[in-house]
Amino acid sequence: MKYLIALIGFILVQFAIAQETKVGIFSHVKDIGMPKLKGETIYDSQTQTYHLKGAGYNIWFEKDEFHYAFEKIEGDFILTANFEFIGNGADPHRKVGLMVRESEEDNSAHITATLHGDGLTVLQWRELKGAFMRDPEDEIFSPKSHYSILQLERKGEEFFMRAAHPGEPLHLIGSHKMAALKGSVLGGIFISSHNENVLEQAKVWNVRLDKPVAANYNPGREGYLGCRLETMNVFTGVRKVIYEKDGRFEAPNWMPDGKKLLINMDGFLYTIPVEGGDLEKLNTGFANRNNNDHGISFDGKLLAISHQREGYPGWGSTVYVLPLEGGEPKLVTEETPSYWHGWAPNNEEVIYVGQRGEKQSFDIYKKNIHGGKEIALTDTKPWEHVDGCEYSPDGKYIYYNGSASGTMQIWRMKPDGSDPEQLTFDQYNNWFPHISPDGEWIVYISFPEDIPMNSHPSYQRVTLKLMPTSGGAPRVIAYLYGGQGTINVPSWSPDSQSIAFVSNSGK
């Protein structure tokens, strides 16, 4: 008898441990409401994809049955993910999506961003525990169908649902205040078959739980948010987090061998394998106050850095070059501030932005790394700003962002500064164009329209966009919380398939 009791105790302990095993970003995985068929969540760590299986009569009326992977969350947050059903399905009303619940009880108050099997996309809720959900009083229907990207945000008591088709910006579907969902809540991904005798399946990827900051947040006083280093195939849109840290790091470059990334952190530069692993400090000699403007020459032999010299104007940012494997930096720009942004394909010149004399606006300059005078390529007006200058691999153009049109847009010009040509025309503030090594594509970061024209702050809802260098409409390839430091420098992989970037989130 004692042996049996001990065995049962051991089994219960092992079951409890299994239940607490983290599945991706979620600490809890379970069926809610005792559906007839058992569901499961399988996480593929290589692709960072969740495979959901779940049954259940529905998520409706006064109780729910479904499968749920979730986390306990405090405060404001943003949940975003891509969804796709697997197979044709038995019922057009099968459901998958994002859910926030008051508790694990089957009659809990909740709000869900829901994609149905027939493409119907809806914000749905149960106002209070045990209340009946009503049609259409407890729903907000989207104007389109078959959205595959869903987002659910909590801001105080109000919840916002956004959705997008691939390549589109997120569109606001609707919002609703949920007084029952205060304090700690459950948030995650779910699936329900709408048929108690059927298990339905879906895959979910690019799952991100972001904790944004308040509008008056001061990182200098309150500390910097945590950072994620991510890679993404720009053609499939699949993202992978390879490194996370509380605190700040920024601006990844892809190393020429395609095997490592280079980032700046705490004034130093570090490399890390593209699949994740240990950081390795790069020797930059005396340069111990490196900011997020650094990059590698076209021939892969030299590294340009922007090291901040104490006691010089404009925070003292100065461009230096050194061997890519590390060494003592060589001064390129005597005048400050100078922020490096690009190499010429001849590997002999760099381009950078700087302020000179009494002029308050920034201009683009180029200079030979072996000496000589710097050459101004732009002459901005007092209210203008230019930044993010970068050569095309064939040397025919310099791409940059500029506000001459009245909003920050992507431009290009000839290498001597002539024939400036605007490339983007929208309401957003577009920064830091990066040209793929094959010269075919531009990736850039897009800030919301309410951001000041010449500003690129941290901790914003931003998107990464892709457009052909030959011309054509840009399309969104990533939705994230980030901004300054996300993608300030060239970050394409050598095969022109992937990029690296930094996203942000609090705890």
Side-chain angles (χ1 to χ4, degrees):
M1 187 64 180
K2 288 181 179 179
Y3 174 80
L4 180 60
I5 291 172
L7 179 61
I8 292 172
F10 175 80
I11 292 171
L12 289 174
V13 168
Q14 294 305 305
F15 178 77
I17 292 172
Q19 289 298 97
E20 291 302 317
T21 300
K22 208 169 180 69
V23 180
I25 68 169
F26 300 113
S27 299
H28 309 275
V29 174
K30 68 181 299 184
D31 288 331
I32 301 295
M34 299 182 66
K36 187 175 179 180
L37 302 177
K38 180 177 175 54
E40 67 175 337
T41 299
I42 299 173
Y43 180 66
D44 182 341
S45 60
Q46 291 300 308
T47 63
Q48 298 185 355
T49 299
Y50 301 79
H51 296 269
L52 301 182
K53 292 181 181 180
Y57 92 98
N58 200 358
I59 302 170
W60 201 249
F61 300 118
E62 83 287 8
K63 67 182 183 69
D64 309 320
E65 289 183 353
F66 64 98
H67 182 70
Y68 197 26
F70 61 95
E71 188 69 27
K72 293 182 179 179
I73 315 172
E74 299 274 357
D76 294 345
F77 60 86
I78 307 168
L79 265 171
T80 313
N82 291 59
F83 294 87
E84 182 182 319
F85 283 109
I86 297 173
N88 294 327
D91 194 300
H93 296 293
R94 59 182 173 159
K95 298 178 179 181
V96 70
L98 302 168
M99 177 182 291
V100 177
R101 292 183 76 82
E102 185 179 18
S103 73
E104 298 176 25
E105 296 179 84
D106 64 358
N107 63 351
S108 167
H110 71 79
I111 189 164
T112 63
T114 305
L115 172 66
H116 293 71
D118 61 1
L120 179 68
T121 314
V122 189
L123 179 66
Q124 301 176 317
W125 60 85
R126 177 180 294 115
E127 199 77 45
L128 298 168
K129 177 181 176 180
F132 269 69
M133 295 176 67
R134 301 164 298 162
D135 184 3
E137 292 88 349
D138 294 337
E139 299 174 282
I140 297 175
F141 295 86
S142 64
K144 299 179 183 180
S145 63
H146 294 92
Y147 288 96
S148 59
I149 302 150
L150 303 179
Q151 185 178 88
L152 192 58
E153 177 181 7
R154 176 165 82 167
K155 196 171 184 179
E157 291 185 1
E158 192 163 10
F159 287 81
F160 300 84
M161 177 184 172
R162 301 177 185 89
H165 297 100
E168 294 182 346
L170 287 163
H171 301 284
L172 179 65
I173 304 304
S175 64
H176 184 70
K177 286 190 175 182
M178 293 287 295
L181 299 180
K182 296 178 180 178
S184 178
V185 293
L186 313 180
I189 56 179
F190 75 91
I191 187 169
S192 178
S193 65
H194 203 275
N195 184 323
E196 62 180 8
N197 296 309
V198 173
L199 271 173
E200 292 287 4
Q201 299 185 54
K203 66 175 184 177
V204 191
W205 66 102
N206 293 346
V207 180
R208 298 294 181 270
L209 172 59
D210 297 318
K211 300 294 294 295
V213 298
N216 61 351
Y217 181 77
N218 184 333
R221 183 180 64 248
E222 301 173 59
Y224 289 99
L225 288 191
C227 290
R228 308 185 194 100
L229 180 57
E230 302 195 38
T231 60
M232 177 179 64
N233 183 301
V234 300
F235 303 109
T236 66
V238 175
R239 296 160 57 176
K240 185 175 181 181
V241 177
I242 67 163
Y243 177 67
E244 295 182 78
K245 177 182 182 292
D246 292 337
R248 190 168 196 149
F249 60 83
E250 298 176 307
N253 302 124
W254 214 293
M255 298 289 276
D257 64 3
K259 297 179 180 179
K260 291 184 178 182
L261 298 172
L262 178 73
I263 60 173
N264 67 286
M265 179 169 60
D266 300 329
F268 298 97
L269 298 179
Y270 296 85
T271 61
I272 183 173
V274 295
E275 295 300 321
D278 295 330
L279 295 176
E280 183 177 348
K281 184 184 284 189
L282 184 75
N283 174 25
T284 57
F286 63 80
N288 59 3
R289 299 176 68 214
N290 297 298
N291 58 47
N292 59 27
D293 294 319
H294 45 78
I296 302 162
S297 59
F298 279 87
D299 63 7
K301 296 180 179 180
L302 296 173
L303 174 67
I305 60 174
S306 301
H307 163 66
Q308 294 180 218
R309 292 189 286 171
E310 290 190 62
Y312 284 77
W315 300 97
S317 184
T318 306
V319 178
Y320 296 83
V321 296
L322 65 151
L324 181 58
E325 63 269 20
E328 203 66 17
K330 173 187 173 184
L331 181 71
V332 176
T333 62
E334 180 61 47
E335 292 191 72
T336 64
S338 299
Y339 296 92
W340 177 90
H341 277 285
W343 280 94
N346 63 13
N347 307 296
E348 299 287 329
E349 296 172 315
V350 290
I351 50 176
Y352 49 95
V353 297
Q355 288 175 312
R356 297 293 181 260
E358 299 299 316
K359 195 172 184 179
Q360 295 301 305
S361 58
F362 279 80
D363 279 296
I364 297 172
Y365 297 87
K366 71 176 177 181
K367 189 175 181 182
N368 192 291
I369 63 173
H370 302 297
K373 293 183 178 181
E374 68 179 14
I375 301 170
L377 301 179
T378 62
D379 184 15
T380 53
K381 295 179 175 63
W383 51 268
E384 279 185 60
H385 184 78
V386 291
D387 212 328
C389 44
E390 186 173 315
Y391 273 92
S392 59
D394 60 12
K396 291 182 178 180
Y397 295 102
I398 292 174
Y399 289 80
Y400 64 101
N401 57 275
S403 58
S405 66
T407 58
M408 188 61 75
Q409 299 296 330
I410 304 303
W411 294 69
R412 70 181 179 187
M413 61 184 173
K414 299 290 178 57
D416 62 0
S418 64
D419 299 330
E421 176 187 5
Q422 188 175 340
L423 302 180
T424 59
F425 302 83
D426 56 33
Q427 72 272 35
Y428 303 105
N429 292 288
N430 302 315
W431 287 73
F432 302 131
H434 302 306
I435 315 305
S436 58
D438 62 11
E440 297 291 324
W441 300 96
I442 310 169
V443 160
Y444 63 92
I445 186 170
S446 194
F447 287 80
E449 56 266 41
D450 59 354
I451 298 297
M453 178 177 67
N454 293 333
S455 180
H456 56 295
S458 304
Y459 314 143
Q460 304 294 320
R461 303 171 160 283
V462 296
T463 56
L464 301 182
K465 293 179 180 176
L466 179 74
M467 65 183 293
T469 55
S470 58
R475 62 186 178 91
V476 178
I477 56 173
Y479 315 85
L480 59 140
Y481 194 65
Q484 168 70 300
T486 287
I487 193 168
N488 291 47
V489 296
S491 56
W492 279 91
S493 61
D495 63 4
S496 299
Q497 295 293 302
S498 300
I499 59 170
F501 59 93
V502 173
S503 60
N504 299 116
S505 179
K507 291 183 179 179

